[in-house]
Amino acid sequence: MAVEVYLNFNGNCREALEFYAEVFETEQPQIMTYGQMPPDPEFTLPEEAKNLVMHARLNINGSTVMFSDVLPGMPFVVGNNISLTIASKNMDEIKSIFSKLKKGGTVGMDLQETFWSKCYGNLTDKFGIGWQVNYDS
């Protein structure tokens, strides 16, 4: 299990990815856009969000750095656009870490199954640090 960095951008993620890939001489990233998500009848994706980056990653000198754009209308504050990510193949470990981190913090998305993971959640801990936990199947 490793702690990885997740960076959020306000509509310019693709530009940032290209910049960092060039700076660190990495491979070109594979990009998943919001428009590639499975449709959700409870949420209509705004047209302007369909080409925004939902998820991408770069390997920078042996470290995985993940990237995404925030959806239009979501809060974006420079300085608060970084979170730490824990991915584990151990479901019990994911649940335990999430339970401990949320004490005194604020849950953004409780642990739940998503289209990319059997168990994902995110929160801000009591010290103001953003965390994402993800079951890596």
Side-chain angles (χ1 to χ4, degrees):
M1 175 178 64
V3 176
E4 298 173 341
V5 177
Y6 208 109
L7 305 174
N8 294 111
F9 295 84
N10 197 19
N12 60 345
C13 184
R14 192 177 302 267
E15 179 184 354
L17 277 163
E18 291 169 2
F19 174 76
Y20 294 126
E22 183 179 328
V23 167
F24 295 104
E25 300 177 358
T26 71
E27 76 288 349
Q28 288 301 307
Q30 293 185 357
I31 296 173
M32 177 185 288
T33 65
Y34 284 105
Q36 294 172 300
M37 289 189 319
D40 181 349
E42 296 180 28
F43 175 73
T44 303
L45 187 66
E47 194 62 37
E48 67 270 19
K50 290 185 177 177
N51 288 320
L52 293 177
V53 175
M54 182 186 141
H55 181 75
R57 72 176 77 211
L58 289 177
N59 182 314
I60 299 176
N61 296 330
S63 295
T64 299
V65 180
M66 295 175 281
F67 299 77
S68 71
D69 281 308
V70 296
L71 284 169
M74 289 187 69
F76 178 84
V77 179
V78 173
N80 290 348
N81 55 324
I82 298 172
S83 59
L84 301 176
T85 302
I86 298 284
S88 174
K89 295 184 183 306
N90 182 325
M91 184 72 78
D92 292 333
E93 183 175 48
I94 289 297
K95 290 178 179 178
S96 174
I97 288 168
F98 192 84
S99 176
K100 291 173 186 175
L101 283 171
K102 76 178 185 179
K103 290 179 182 166
T106 305
V107 173
M109 176 187 243
D110 215 346
L111 289 176
Q112 60 189 269
E113 186 169 341
T114 65
F115 71 89
W116 69 85
S117 175
K118 293 218 178 278
C119 188
Y120 170 85
N122 64 62
L123 59 86
T124 301
D125 71 18
K126 65 183 177 180
F127 300 105
I129 304 299
W131 291 90
Q132 299 181 60
V133 297
N134 189 52
Y135 177 69
D136 185 12
S137 55

